Amino acid sequence: MDRLGESAFLVQVGEFSGPLDLLLTLIRDEQIDIYDIPVARIAEQFLIRIKTLGLDDAADYLEMAARLIRIKAQMLLPRREGEEGWDDPRAELVRRLLEYQQVREVVDVLDRLSEDRRGKFARGYMPQQFTSPAPAAAPLALSLPELFAAVDRVLRLAKKPTIHDVVPRALDVEGAIAIVRDILALRQSCRWRDLVSSGSQPWEILSVLLALLEMAKRGEVKLRQDRAFTEVEINGEPASEAA
Amino acid sequence: MSPLAKLLEAALFASSAPISRESLAALDSDVTDDEVAGALTELRTQYDESGHGVELIETGGGWQILTRAEFTDAIERAQLASRPARLSAAALETLAIIAYRQPIGRAEVEEIRGVNCGAILKSLHERALIEVTGRAEGMGRPLMYGTTPAFLEQLAIRHLDELPRADELAVALRPAAEA
Amino acid sequence: MSPLAKLLEAALFASSAPISRESLAALDSDVTDDEVAGALTELRTQYDESGHGVELIETGGGWQILTRAEFTDAIERAQLASRPARLSAAALETLAIIAYRQPIGRAEVEEIRGVNCGAILKSLHERALIEVTGRAEGMGRPLMYGTTPAFLEQLAIRHLDELPRADELAVALRPAAEA
């Protein structure tokens, strides 16, 4: 039932759609003039409500609670008599509440319209008839939103965000040494081509090369090339078997 | 019914989405826009006056045939079709803000709603009700959202200007709010 | 038209599959089979005699409303003519990867998409949306692809900078992943 996001989309989570909704409800219930909010009282009521509704761990509600308390404190600051330029600390809150009220009014309109539309069905049965591709001459329709949606799909495919960065694969010299040993255990000598197939990845080729150099250094193999650009011959050193 | 009205009816029946006026006109290269408009009126009148179970409406930049609302319950009960899920208040609030303020960034939507809107924006985007229209100039160059034709279809309206104008709303914003 | 014929019309229109006689009868518990048969005849006659663009047909699966055959050519032609070519989802994804990762080789595109992209790269190239920008260093010196000025023109942007960064899009479009 509670699928994140989807559930918030279809069913309202909790009684209120946000702290402004709750605040507006309190103001309506208390029959308060929105331009002259008794902040101390409303702040107290707000805190009580978010506790009883179990919303007191929701960041958005807590932020509003903090804001109300701040305004309450500012209201308590002494005002100089006859001061003209006094900024009502509630002004910003009032502006936001009015703006939100306007949004709710639009919501009522949208809700009514979409309810009307929901009550009507579009054509359901679609015989497969229009399957031919668009002619090549047709102008191309490509829009930013389409591209962004494609980026979104690609990101969705990539489970981890950085998974497709090209990370040089660590060389596996030990593994390559083991492979060379296995091959030399079967036959006395082998060639470069036997160790590296045409489909080898660069890291595999490098690993084999380093393995051979390392083994030559240890005296485990002897590398021989008759002429430049000819095949390298790899011979196992009998002595190494004792080592 | 005129031949053109019959042709339009066939095309509209064959589509589950609205068809634009231009596409309807393209059905017959010999007809004028006025003739298409006339045939649409003829078809609408036919549906209304002969008492059909469907009606012709103009929506989201096109024309569409829909069933009449009075039959919805019976059709749904018989499980022949089902209504889409209703939008939550949170989704409608977000859509309302985007519809009236587009192009608008996420931060501004959240400022107006007073809540985090990430999950809602995602759902609305997945349902193609909103789209990313580009990015703003300035700080951080935030992504901007706008509504789509599917949004108009969702409301069965032709155009955004069918929604009440901001100054027609009962609670008009005071000029100070335009900062 | 009788109320039952209207109801049947609405149901046949809204259903995603042909409807059997039994299901049609189930739409209204008060009606008899004979009444349903009568209403179907009424609807068929209405379509045939008032000269509609659609007709009522009984097939193996049940009853359905279909576009009259004489209009299908015109509808198909018009749809083709009015429908601008759209890139497939696969082509869009490939284009998106190239736009964001250019210069990029075919192997890397294929690794990200998990499928062979040869034909898609060819068609994007033919549409002049991508071009070969050079060769990479290293094994096999693969061809590297990038987007073209025509690509920017299609999107009505001046510069690639105007595209949001991929990680920004990830956050904007999929905020649930933040959790």
Side-chain angles (χ1 to χ4, degrees):
Chain A
M1 180 73 199
D2 200 326
R3 284 171 298 156
L4 195 73
E6 190 73 359
S7 66
F9 188 77
L10 300 177
V11 192
Q12 191 159 321
V13 182
E15 198 180 333
F16 301 98
S17 67
L20 287 166
D21 189 16
L22 171 54
L23 207 50
L24 217 48
T25 306
L26 288 176
I27 287 167
R28 207 174 299 129
D29 289 354
E30 302 277 312
Q31 299 187 321
I32 285 167
D33 176 5
I34 201 165
Y35 291 100
D36 189 20
I37 300 169
V39 179
R41 191 164 108 219
I42 282 295
E44 189 187 337
Q45 299 248 353
F46 189 87
L47 287 169
I48 293 170
R49 291 296 280 274
I50 66 173
K51 272 208 187 71
T52 51
L53 291 168
L55 295 168
D56 47 345
D57 58 345
D60 301 321
Y61 288 87
L62 279 188
E63 198 218 319
M64 178 59 75
R67 191 184 297 261
L68 289 172
I69 291 165
R70 208 160 51 235
I71 295 172
K72 180 177 134 187
Q74 284 168 341
M75 296 288 288
L76 293 175
L77 290 178
R79 246 179 283 166
R80 261 174 290 162
E81 211 49 49
E83 189 181 353
E84 291 246 323
W86 183 68
D87 287 330
D88 190 333
R90 299 169 297 184
E92 168 66 8
L93 183 65
V94 170
R95 183 193 69 76
R96 287 188 65 189
L97 281 168
L98 288 174
E99 188 175 47
Y100 182 71
Q101 229 175 0
Q102 191 187 39
V103 170
R104 292 309 297 252
E105 207 178 325
V106 175
V107 164
D108 290 342
V109 175
L110 298 187
D111 194 32
R112 183 171 47 75
L113 289 170
S114 61
E115 273 308 279
D116 287 351
R117 174 62 186 81
R118 273 181 79 237
K120 298 167 182 180
F121 294 116
R123 171 74 156 163
Y125 182 60
M126 285 295 107
Q128 296 301 310
Q129 35 187 344
F130 307 115
T131 49
S132 351
L140 180 66
L142 174 64
S143 66
L144 273 179
E146 253 184 323
L147 183 74
F148 295 156
V151 174
D152 184 37
R153 287 199 302 276
V154 171
L155 292 171
R156 213 172 287 245
L157 281 178
K159 294 273 191 288
K160 291 173 222 128
T162 54
I163 196 165
H164 296 302
D165 280 340
V166 182
V167 182
R169 180 142 184 188
L171 299 179
D172 182 12
V173 180
E174 286 308 310
I177 289 176
I179 291 167
V180 175
R181 277 186 188 146
D182 285 348
I183 290 174
L184 290 178
L186 293 173
R187 20 206 280 222
Q188 197 42 235
S189 84
C190 66
R191 294 198 234 192
W192 174 253
R193 238 196 338 233
D194 302 325
L195 299 172
V196 178
S197 67
S198 58
S200 293
Q201 299 288 319
W203 69 270
E204 293 174 296
I205 297 169
L206 276 176
S207 301
V208 171
L209 182 64
L210 290 176
L212 289 175
L213 294 175
E214 175 65 23
M215 290 167 84
K217 196 176 88 187
R218 291 186 202 161
E220 219 176 305
V221 299
K222 201 173 248 172
L223 304 178
R224 207 186 74 199
Q225 191 176 25
D226 290 337
R227 288 192 312 276
F229 307 117
T230 59
E231 277 271 29
V232 175
E233 202 178 288
I234 300 125
N235 293 297
E237 285 286 300
S240 71
E241 272 162 34
Chain B
M1 275 169 68
S2 69
L4 182 56
K6 287 163 72 168
L7 174 59
L8 296 186
E9 183 186 39
L12 290 163
F13 250 85
S15 171
S16 60
I19 305 180
S20 69
R21 175 75 70 88
E22 299 78 63
S23 297
L24 289 173
L27 281 165
D28 183 343
S29 51
D30 294 334
V31 300
T32 64
D33 278 357
D34 281 354
E35 284 169 326
V36 171
L40 285 168
T41 306
E42 184 190 345
L43 187 58
R44 175 145 64 181
T45 311
Q46 162 78 17
Y47 285 160
D48 289 348
E49 291 182 359
S50 302
H52 276 263
V54 294
E55 61 185 332
L56 179 62
I57 65 154
E58 191 179 359
T59 175
W63 292 78
Q64 185 175 25
I65 298 174
L66 294 175
T67 59
R68 289 184 195 275
E70 59 199 283
F71 304 114
T72 302
D73 285 346
I75 293 171
E76 210 163 33
R77 254 199 323 274
Q79 297 185 332
L80 294 170
S82 61
R83 283 194 270 192
R86 189 173 181 164
L87 297 181
S88 70
L92 286 172
E93 280 179 17
T94 308
L95 280 174
I97 293 165
I98 294 174
Y100 278 77
R101 298 287 186 92
Q102 57 190 314
I104 183 174
R106 172 171 165 182
E108 211 186 331
V109 174
E110 293 184 339
E111 153 75 13
I112 295 172
R113 286 199 57 222
V115 293
N116 184 300
C117 295
I120 290 290
L121 286 173
K122 173 177 176 272
S123 294
L124 293 175
H125 185 262
E126 277 170 3
R127 277 159 206 253
L129 295 172
I130 62 169
E131 61 190 6
V132 176
T133 57
R135 55 193 304 171
E137 295 300 318
M139 279 289 289
R141 312 198 63 204
L143 296 182
M144 305 301 276
Y145 296 94
T147 54
T148 62
F151 168 74
L152 300 177
E153 273 172 53
Q154 177 92 22
L155 306 175
I157 60 173
R158 284 175 306 231
H159 196 272
L160 281 174
D161 60 21
E162 284 181 53
L163 297 176
R165 289 202 318 273
D167 59 4
E168 289 172 338
L169 297 170
V171 187
L173 281 185
R174 294 190 299 177
E178 283 167 12
Chain C
M1 277 168 66
S2 69
L4 182 56
K6 286 162 72 169
L7 172 58
L8 296 186
E9 183 185 41
L12 288 164
F13 178 81
S15 167
S16 60
I19 310 177
S20 68
R21 178 73 71 85
E22 299 77 53
S23 296
L24 287 173
L27 278 164
D28 184 344
S29 52
D30 294 336
V31 301
T32 64
D33 277 357
D34 281 355
E35 283 168 327
V36 171
L40 283 169
T41 306
E42 184 190 346
L43 187 57
R44 174 147 60 183
T45 311
Q46 162 77 19
Y47 284 160
D48 291 348
E49 291 182 0
S50 303
H52 277 265
V54 294
E55 58 188 335
L56 181 63
I57 316 220
E58 187 178 9
T59 62
W63 293 79
Q64 64 191 98
I65 301 172
L66 287 179
T67 304
R68 284 186 199 277
E70 60 196 284
F71 300 115
T72 49
D73 277 355
I75 294 169
E76 191 156 12
R77 260 199 326 274
Q79 291 215 342
L80 289 181
S82 65
R83 191 171 53 192
R86 306 197 86 84
L87 295 178
S88 67
L92 273 170
E93 286 163 22
T94 306
L95 191 56
I97 292 168
I98 294 173
Y100 278 88
R101 291 294 186 91
Q102 58 189 303
I104 183 174
R106 171 171 164 181
E108 209 188 332
V109 175
E110 293 183 342
E111 198 207 333
I112 295 172
R113 290 206 53 237
V115 291
N116 186 299
C117 296
I120 287 172
L121 288 174
K122 182 160 171 281
S123 97
L124 290 175
H125 192 260
E126 278 167 4
R127 286 191 179 276
L129 294 170
I130 61 169
E131 62 192 357
V132 175
T133 57
R135 279 178 179 276
E137 294 303 314
M139 285 288 292
R141 310 205 59 212
L143 296 178
M144 302 302 275
Y145 295 94
T147 54
T148 61
F151 167 77
L152 298 180
E153 215 171 285
Q154 275 286 340
L155 298 175
I157 60 174
R158 283 166 313 221
H159 196 272
L160 282 171
D161 285 353
E162 289 179 46
L163 295 177
R165 292 199 320 272
D167 54 349
E168 278 180 311
L169 266 177
V171 172
L173 300 178
R174 316 185 347 89
E178 284 176 336

